[in-house]
Amino acid sequence: DTGVSQDPRHKITKRGQNVTFRCDPISEHNRLYWYRQTLGQGPEFLTYFQNEAQLEKSRLLSDRFSAERPKGSFSTLEIQRTEQGDSAMYLCASSLKEGRLAGPDTQYFGPGTRLTVL
Amino acid sequence: AQKITQTQPGMFVQEKEAVTLDCTYDTSDPSYGLFWYKQPSSGEMIFLIYQGSYDQQNATEGRYSLNFQKARKSANLVISASQLGDSAMYFCAMREGVGSGGYQKVTFGTGTKLQVIP
């Protein structure tokens, strides 16, 4: 399978605990994105990497959230001191953008990690 | 103003019939892209179809076609010959602008839940 993978698929944690999610993008893709999706809503952008550089962060990404992509391949999203409001589906996507040519830059999504904070 | 508006929270369609899912968008950027994604109950966002703002022809991918009316700022998804497996949430999304690092923000609508009736 050469699609985007995410681990774990489900995570239940107690308020105040730290959690970390992993995303493995499609291997040749240089761009990686994290989104959060709550019930009844579309995905909301959290952050974006081009190779290993984190180039864009949403205001939704509070200081309790941190994301890394250390070698330009897989990425991790850590949430510290989780709150009940962090309960959501966390989606990772990747895309391939070459040069400055216009194009779809289509994002391909993983299956998501569903976080429940008790 | 909402960037992406999907006015149909839920739709029913008879198997083998065609169905149109509505999407209107709002942007002042002359260069933008429109996407449709399908999200089954498993949670993964599946890319269906893409339309660029400068594309002259309406996009088609198998049973999916995008009815792009630029002046009306609408990008409706048409699914022909509906199948039971088409039952899912459908999200319209728009890519626009150029932020830092070349990132173009992708905004999703709230989705339409399609149910195909045997």
Side-chain angles (χ1 to χ4, degrees):
Chain A
D1 185 15
T2 57
V4 179
S5 61
Q6 292 186 246
D7 183 69
R9 295 291 307 275
H10 303 272
K11 179 71 177 179
I12 300 173
T13 191
K14 292 183 179 178
R15 190 176 54 186
Q17 298 293 305
N18 299 343
V19 295
T20 301
F21 309 142
R22 176 179 170 124
C23 171
D24 287 88
I26 294 171
S27 58
E28 64 268 25
H29 284 185
N30 54 358
R31 292 183 163 184
L32 186 146
Y33 314 80
W34 284 99
Y35 289 85
R36 182 171 69 187
Q37 185 179 22
T38 53
L39 201 62
Q41 300 296 318
E44 295 175 294
F45 169 76
L46 292 178
T47 191
Y48 150 69
F49 291 85
Q50 177 148 320
N51 300 311
E52 67 277 6
Q54 187 175 18
L55 297 181
E56 188 92 12
K57 289 196 291 186
S58 164
R59 284 172 291 179
L60 292 175
L61 211 66
S62 77
D63 56 6
R64 297 185 297 107
F65 288 69
S66 62
E68 294 183 341
R69 194 183 183 197
K71 297 182 180 178
S73 56
F74 74 91
S75 175
T76 58
L77 177 69
E78 181 183 16
I79 309 175
Q80 296 182 325
R81 305 180 303 281
T82 52
E83 301 172 356
Q84 287 183 326
D86 297 332
S87 295
M89 174 79 90
Y90 289 84
L91 293 164
C92 176
S94 69
S95 69
L96 175 65
K97 183 69 172 179
E98 294 178 301
R100 297 179 64 83
L101 295 175
D105 195 20
T106 300
Q107 296 181 25
Y108 294 90
F109 284 79
T113 294
R114 186 172 296 282
L115 173 66
T116 302
V117 181
L118 303 175
Chain B
Q2 293 290 327
K3 287 285 187 179
I4 294 286
T5 302
Q6 294 182 255
T7 57
Q8 305 153 314
M11 292 276 287
F12 289 92
V13 64
Q14 203 75 37
E15 193 178 6
K16 300 180 185 177
E17 297 291 310
V19 64
T20 299
L21 307 184
D22 295 342
C23 173
T24 57
Y25 59 91
D26 181 28
T27 183
S28 56
D29 191 342
S31 177
Y32 54 91
L34 297 156
F35 302 83
W36 278 91
Y37 286 86
K38 172 184 178 181
Q39 188 176 42
S41 56
S42 59
E44 183 173 354
M45 298 281 287
I46 302 167
F47 166 68
L48 296 178
I49 196 166
Y50 167 81
Q51 179 86 41
S53 58
Y54 295 120
D55 293 343
Q56 296 296 313
Q57 306 269 3
N58 283 348
T60 59
E61 290 285 349
R63 294 185 299 110
Y64 305 107
S65 60
L66 201 152
N67 184 2
F68 181 46
Q69 298 187 46
K70 196 169 182 176
R72 297 180 60 185
K73 294 189 174 179
S74 76
N76 298 341
L77 177 71
V78 180
I79 306 174
S80 63
S82 297
Q83 302 172 356
L84 295 178
D86 293 335
S87 294
M89 284 291 289
Y90 288 80
F91 290 94
C92 180
M94 176 174 64
R95 187 200 70 234
E96 61 169 341
V98 179
S100 58
Y103 171 66
Q104 292 185 290
K105 183 175 180 179
V106 175
T107 305
F108 287 81
T110 52
T112 295
K113 185 172 182 178
L114 177 67
Q115 295 186 65
V116 180
I117 305 167

